[in-house]
């Protein structure tokens, strides 16, 4: 093989490491998102987990067997400051774990990356049933398709599907609107509740939206 062939093979191997790290990061993120029921997983955190896994692989590719490069990467990483706090300790821990998975890919220890991903995903499923589950609080905005708000239908659906609800804001007009403070189970599906409220457009509800309640202070 010529020198150019060797270079291309080496480059392809490094690209494969990065791609594998990205795939493993996505797998962990999808499982984490599905079993993250205390509050919706921020999109930025989902992307950060995948990118951090790739970053771990890239660091190990750059370092190779060079101690000088290792110190250089460590020094460069110490300059980075993350301004956005991660509230959930589990989210912070998973960031470190996906970094480790990426480093395994970067070192070429693929079986460690694959086995570690499978184990981490399985552990996330198990942990979902471990410990006390806290109810979830959300703000629900229901907009009618006319000036008459379908209170009977909305209250019937909420009464059958959530633990507690209370109207917090009412607006009249061409499209009546009510905002509710809702307490529901961590396993409750917001998309299913939205479908029940809209009821295919036959119940007088135009749109439904959910958001986490704003913190006071």
């Amino acid at each position: 093989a010529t020198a150019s062939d060797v270079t291309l093979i080496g480059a392809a191997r490094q690209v494969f490491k990065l791609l594998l790290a990205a795939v493993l990061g996505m797998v962990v993120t999808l499982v984490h998102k599905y079993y993250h029921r205390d509050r919706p997983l921020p999109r930025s955190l989902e992307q950060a987990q995948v990118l951090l896994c790739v970053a771990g692989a890239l660091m190990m590719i750059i370092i190779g067997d060079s101690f000088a490069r290792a110190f250089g990467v460590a020094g460069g990483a110490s300059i980075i400051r993350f301004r956005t706090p991660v509230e959930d300790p589990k989210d912070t821990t998973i960031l470190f774990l996906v970094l480790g998975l990426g480093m395994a890919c970067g070192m070429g220890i693929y079986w460690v990356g694959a086995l570690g991903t499978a184990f981490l995903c399985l552990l996330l499923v198990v942990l979902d049933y471990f410990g006390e589950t806290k109810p979830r609080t959300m703000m629900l905005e229901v907009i009618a398709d006319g000036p008459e708000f379908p209170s009977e239908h909305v209250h019937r659906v909420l009464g059958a599907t959530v633990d507690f609800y209370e109207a917090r804001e009412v607006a009249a007009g061409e499209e009546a609107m009510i905002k509710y403070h809702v307490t529901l189970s961590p396993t409750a599906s917001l998309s299913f509740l939205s479908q029940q409220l809209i009821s295919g457009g036959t119940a007088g509800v135009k749109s439904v939206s959910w958001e986490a309640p704003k913190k006071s202070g």
Side-chain angles (χ1 to χ4, degrees):
T2 64
S4 60
D5 292 336
V6 173
T7 302
L8 288 175
I9 293 174
R13 185 180 297 113
Q14 308 309 333
V15 171
F16 175 77
K17 293 177 181 178
L18 295 175
L19 289 175
L20 180 61
V23 170
L24 296 184
M26 289 178 185
V27 171
V28 172
T29 299
L30 288 174
V31 176
H32 183 203
K33 180 180 180 180
Y34 183 81
Y35 289 97
H36 194 278
R37 296 173 177 173
D38 291 340
R39 64 177 66 87
L41 192 65
R43 184 168 179 264
S44 59
L45 185 59
E46 295 177 25
Q47 296 174 349
Q49 290 180 175
V50 178
L51 291 172
L52 195 59
C53 194
V54 175
L58 185 59
M59 284 191 295
M60 297 312 298
I61 292 173
I62 295 172
I63 291 172
D65 297 326
S66 172
F67 284 103
R69 292 179 185 175
F71 284 114
V73 170
S78 65
I79 301 175
I80 300 174
R81 295 290 183 271
F82 294 96
R83 302 292 183 182
T84 303
V86 181
E87 297 181 358
D88 194 334
K90 185 177 75 173
D91 295 340
T92 306
T93 305
I94 290 177
L95 287 175
F96 281 104
L97 290 171
V98 295
L99 177 62
L101 295 176
M103 294 176 73
C105 294
M107 295 176 65
I109 316 176
Y110 305 128
W111 69 270
V112 173
L115 185 61
T117 300
F119 180 79
L120 179 55
C121 291
L122 178 61
L123 189 60
L124 287 173
V125 176
V126 174
L127 289 177
D128 185 63
Y129 299 95
F130 179 78
E132 181 183 1
T133 57
K134 297 181 179 179
R136 178 170 40 163
T137 58
M138 300 289 292
M139 293 301 298
L140 165 65
E141 181 181 88
V142 182
I143 300 178
D145 59 7
E148 295 294 330
F149 190 83
S151 301
E152 182 178 351
H153 165 71
V154 172
H155 294 170
R156 181 173 63 253
V157 172
L158 293 179
T161 54
V162 305
D163 298 333
F164 174 80
Y165 67 93
E166 179 183 24
R168 291 291 180 88
E169 183 179 336
V170 179
E174 294 182 359
E175 296 178 344
M177 182 275 294
I178 297 182
K179 283 187 177 182
Y180 296 91
H181 185 270
V182 178
T183 302
L184 65 165
S185 167
T187 59
S189 170
L190 299 184
S191 60
F192 173 77
L193 291 178
S194 298
Q195 292 174 3
Q196 293 292 104
L197 289 168
I198 295 176
S199 188
T202 62
V205 175
K206 178 181 179 181
S207 64
V208 173
S209 61
W210 301 83
E211 64 178 5
K214 296 179 180 179
K215 295 183 179 180
S216 58

